[in-house]
Amino acid sequence: MAAGAEMTGEDAVVVQSPPNTDTDKPIGNNTNNVVISSNGGKETDSKSDFKMQDIVDMLSKLKLNPLAKEFFPSSYSHDRKSENDLVQNKKNQGTDGFPNNRKRRNNYNQGKRRLNGRAFKAQREDSIRRTVYVSDIDHNVTEERLAALFSGYGQVVDCRVCGDSHSRLRFAFVEFADEHSARAALSLCGTMLGFSPVKVLPSKTAILPVNPTFLPRSEDEREMCARTVYCTNIDKKVSQADVKNFFESKCGEVSRLRLLGDQVHSTRIAFVEFVMAESAIVALDCCGQLLGSQPIRVSPSKTPVRPRVPRPALQ
């Protein structure tokens, strides 16, 4: 077959590439006819150029996602997962390379707080079961005398007498070392103590413990406690001189007074030590009386008013 054929009335000769003898397919991807002009130049078929330009324009307008799955080989996802696992492992390790147990420690601290809360609640409930409430107590009855009465039914751990603003009679809380003693002490209800029969009932509250460092350390300090009262709900506008004048005008001579307060609470407290123990007993009757604009609460003090120790001067 001839390599080309003459075309009448035209100067150009059309030459076709010979087919591939092995596969009967065109060599390469060039399936377009090539026109050889009479002057020896080559021109691409105009229709093919038009289609190619459309493809180029279409691709240029596409917004491709470079992170799409089809743009990555299958091996890349495995490497990426290994890298993420490595980063996560580093986050779970401390600076020394050991596992970071911060979250576990936080959980442990929260569990510890919950445990402490439950333990405190259980301890408080146990204290309530070991405590009795005593009312209608004669104002001449001291805590020592009340504790001596109840000690016949078991070991008395604490005894707290409080003034009642609505009555000249007082009430108290007596805590025993065990629950059995507290139940046995209920039989004292109706017993004459001073000039009034007392009422004894199971307590609904526990006695708030006193800081052991404030408790009396010697016999002299115990004697000081017998002459001291604890006063609460004092108006902040009341001065220390006002408190002293109030108790001296009603009860007797005051030997030492400590007025305390802070910025958190709206009222203040005071420890008032009298010269005579009888004055402290009379002061309990001041519970509910106005001092300034507030009705005060007065109860026997568990702690003595210790003299202030002067601080050493700074060099």
Side-chain angles (χ1 to χ4, degrees):
M1 180 178 180
E6 292 185 0
M7 299 181 64
T8 58
E10 294 183 3
D11 295 333
V13 178
V14 178
V15 180
Q16 269 190 329
S17 300
N20 192 340
T21 56
D22 296 333
T23 60
D24 291 335
K25 293 182 180 179
I27 298 175
N29 294 329
N30 187 8
T31 59
N32 300 327
N33 294 332
V34 179
V35 179
I36 303 175
S37 61
S38 58
N39 56 8
K42 294 182 181 179
E43 294 181 357
T44 308
D45 184 65
S46 60
K47 190 176 292 186
S48 299
D49 288 344
F50 179 75
K51 291 181 179 180
M52 183 59 67
Q53 188 62 36
D54 287 345
I55 294 174
V56 172
D57 293 341
M58 179 184 68
L59 292 176
S60 63
K61 293 178 181 179
L62 288 177
K63 294 182 179 180
L64 303 179
N65 181 12
L67 298 179
K69 187 185 298 184
E70 57 268 17
F71 284 93
F72 292 93
S74 58
S75 60
Y76 181 82
S77 60
H78 177 74
D79 297 338
R80 185 86 173 184
K81 183 178 180 182
S82 300
E83 182 181 351
N84 292 338
D85 292 343
L86 180 62
V87 172
Q88 187 65 30
N89 289 335
K90 288 183 178 180
K91 287 182 179 179
N92 293 334
Q93 289 183 353
T95 55
D96 52 359
F98 290 97
N100 190 350
N101 296 324
R102 181 180 303 171
K103 185 174 182 181
R104 187 175 66 184
R105 285 199 300 270
N106 290 341
N107 292 337
Y108 169 76
N109 291 335
Q110 292 174 0
K112 187 176 181 181
R113 285 194 294 269
R114 288 194 295 268
L115 180 62
N116 290 340
R118 289 195 295 267
F120 175 78
K121 185 177 180 181
Q123 183 179 2
R124 184 175 180 274
E125 291 175 352
D126 176 67
S127 178
I128 293 174
R129 288 192 295 269
R130 293 185 287 104
T131 305
V132 294
Y133 170 74
V134 187
S135 63
D136 296 349
I137 302 173
D138 188 349
H139 68 278
N140 292 315
V141 176
T142 62
E143 288 184 347
E144 290 76 12
R145 185 178 176 184
L146 184 65
L149 173 65
F150 281 88
S151 62
Y153 291 86
Q155 181 184 355
V156 175
V157 176
D158 199 355
C159 179
R160 199 77 54 89
V161 175
C162 307
D164 190 347
S165 58
H166 303 289
S167 173
R168 287 184 56 85
L169 300 177
R170 303 188 180 97
F171 62 93
F173 296 93
V174 181
E175 181 180 349
F176 292 90
D178 57 86
E179 186 178 350
H180 176 74
S181 300
R183 289 198 299 267
L186 297 176
S187 61
L188 284 173
C189 186
T191 302
M192 288 294 297
L193 186 61
F195 298 100
S196 174
V198 296
K199 295 179 181 179
V200 185
L201 300 171
S203 178
K204 295 181 180 180
T205 61
I207 297 178
L208 185 66
V210 180
N211 191 331
T213 59
F214 297 150
L215 294 176
R217 304 168 185 169
S218 63
E219 195 61 36
D220 291 340
E221 288 192 343
R222 291 188 184 91
E223 191 271 334
M224 291 169 60
C225 285
R227 296 185 284 108
T228 306
V229 295
Y230 172 62
C231 183
T232 63
N233 203 43
I234 301 175
D235 190 348
K236 275 195 170 183
K237 296 180 181 179
V238 174
S239 65
Q240 183 164 318
D242 295 334
V243 177
K244 183 177 181 181
N245 293 334
F246 173 84
F247 282 103
E248 283 190 336
S249 64
K250 297 177 179 295
C251 310
E253 184 180 356
V254 175
S255 60
R256 191 179 288 117
L257 188 147
R258 187 72 48 78
L259 183 62
L260 305 172
D262 53 33
Q263 301 298 324
V264 177
H265 299 86
S266 59
T267 58
R268 296 197 285 182
I269 64 172
F271 293 89
V272 184
E273 180 184 326
F274 295 93
V275 175
M276 303 295 293
E278 291 77 11
S279 299
I281 295 175
V282 175
L284 297 176
D285 292 333
C286 295
C287 186
Q289 296 187 22
L290 289 178
L291 178 55
S293 61
Q294 297 282 111
I296 60 174
R297 293 191 290 269
V298 186
S299 60
S301 176
K302 289 288 184 180
T303 62
V305 182
R306 296 188 177 101
R308 293 186 183 274
V309 179
R311 296 180 180 179
L314 298 176
Q315 300 294 334

